[in-house]
Amino acid sequence: MKNIVVLVSGGGTNLQALIDAQERGEIKGGRISCVISSKEGAYALERAAKAGIPSVVLPRKEYADKKAYSQAILEELNRQKADLVVLAGFMIILDEVVTKAYPYRIINVHPALIPSFCGEGFYGLKVHEKALEYGVKVSGATIHFVNEEADAGAIILQGAVDIANDETPESLQKKIMENVEWKLLPKAVSLFCEDRITIRDGKAYVD
């Protein structure tokens, strides 16, 4: 069984989707072995405790800069013997010290169809605001590997939703979470744990 370590910063809705999928037996070949939070008191920690999953708090504010914080995260991942790292609403961009130590072993969810509305500064409601500003007719979420560049790693899975005429950033966020993120993230995690993702020429292929 592969050790899945989930990094969180807030409410943990994507973590809950993973926990629920695990309890339904949908994540094959792995288990959530630890949750690491960048904030004390994050509700995601309560979700982990309720599911009996150990957690660690590494407050970002206690570290001088991104590099020092990333080094602390890396040491904890190594301590936890992480096979797969999942960024589930983790609001900090990690230094390359982590991405280089875990190549094609860190998965992130981005709430848009990459390469649209992604990169530095595109997170949370801002992504949906930009999509609606542009007037796109579909949006969605992308599950991708994390590399040294924001939202630029190999794409594993994508899913789309239609945008209604009266859509708001909030309603679009909810629609994408419920219909895409909460379904595809556990699926991608299981595919990884089942060794069903192959990397060729920097692209991810699912067997």
Side-chain angles (χ1 to χ4, degrees), residues 151-178:
D151 301 327
I155 293 168
I156 303 166
L157 296 171
Q158 288 183 305
V161 298
D162 290 329
I163 292 177
N165 290 339
D166 60 350
E167 205 79 70
T168 65
E170 291 79 8
S171 69
L172 183 56
Q173 181 181 53
K174 185 169 186 279
K175 188 186 280 187
I176 290 171
M177 280 197 302
E178 291 176 354

Side-chain angles (χ1 to χ4, degrees), residues 57-83:
V57 180
L58 289 175
R60 170 65 183 89
K61 62 186 180 190
E62 289 182 11
Y63 295 84
D65 53 31
K66 183 168 84 168
K67 190 146 195 167
Y69 186 68
S70 297
Q71 188 61 43
I73 289 281
L74 177 61
E75 286 165 14
E76 190 58 44
L77 292 175
N78 292 341
R79 198 174 298 122
Q80 296 294 337
K81 298 181 170 59
D83 295 301

Side-chain angles (χ1 to χ4, degrees), residues 121-142:
F122 281 90
Y123 60 89
L125 277 178
K126 288 181 187 177
V127 177
H128 308 298
E129 286 166 1
K130 288 292 180 190
L132 293 178
E133 260 177 46
Y134 203 91
V136 295
K137 303 307 178 193
V138 296
S139 191
T142 303

Side-chain angles (χ1 to χ4, degrees), residues 1-205:
M1 293 288 275
K2 289 184 171 66
N3 291 327
I4 304 161
V5 176
V6 184
L7 273 55
V8 298
S9 294
T13 52
N14 279 326
L15 169 63
Q16 191 63 55
L18 288 168
I19 291 168
D20 293 346
Q22 178 168 282
E23 288 174 354
R24 290 192 301 264
E26 292 169 11
I27 296 177
K28 298 173 179 68
R31 63 184 178 89
I32 304 168
S33 54
C34 181
V35 170
I36 300 174
S37 175
S38 65
K39 283 182 188 168
E40 291 164 353
Y43 187 64
L45 293 167
E46 287 187 41
R47 295 181 191 271
K50 197 175 171 188
I53 299 166
S55 61
V56 174
V57 180
L58 289 175
R60 170 65 183 89
K61 62 186 180 190
E62 289 182 11
Y63 295 84
D65 53 31
K66 183 168 84 168
K67 190 146 195 167
Y69 186 68
S70 297
Q71 188 61 43
I73 289 281
L74 177 61
E75 286 165 14
E76 190 58 44
L77 292 175
N78 292 341
R79 198 174 298 122
Q80 296 294 337
K81 298 181 170 59
D83 295 301
L84 174 65
V85 182
V86 181
L87 307 184
F90 188 66
M91 299 308 291
I92 292 146
I93 294 175
L94 293 168
D95 185 81
E96 62 180 28
V97 67
V98 180
T99 51
K100 285 188 172 167
Y102 284 83
Y104 296 107
R105 288 166 64 195
I106 306 173
I107 285 176
N108 182 49
V109 186
H110 182 73
L113 296 170
I114 292 175
S116 298
F117 314 113
C118 66
E120 221 162 308
F122 281 90
Y123 60 89
L125 277 178
K126 288 181 187 177
V127 177
H128 308 298
E129 286 166 1
K130 288 292 180 190
L132 293 178
E133 260 177 46
Y134 203 91
V136 295
K137 303 307 178 193
V138 296
S139 191
T142 303
I143 317 296
H144 65 96
F145 284 113
V146 175
N147 62 11
E148 287 72 47
E149 200 181 323
D151 301 327
I155 293 168
I156 303 166
L157 296 171
Q158 288 183 305
V161 298
D162 290 329
I163 292 177
N165 290 339
D166 60 350
E167 205 79 70
T168 65
E170 291 79 8
S171 69
L172 183 56
Q173 181 181 53
K174 185 169 186 279
K175 188 186 280 187
I176 290 171
M177 280 197 302
E178 291 176 354
N179 294 284
V180 187
E181 293 182 38
W182 297 349
K183 293 177 182 177
L184 291 193
L185 180 59
K187 185 178 177 183
V189 166
S190 190
L191 287 169
F192 179 93
C193 293
E194 294 172 78
D195 297 318
R196 290 178 58 197
I197 303 172
T198 307
I199 303 297
R200 295 197 299 272
D201 300 323
K203 296 190 184 84
Y205 295 87

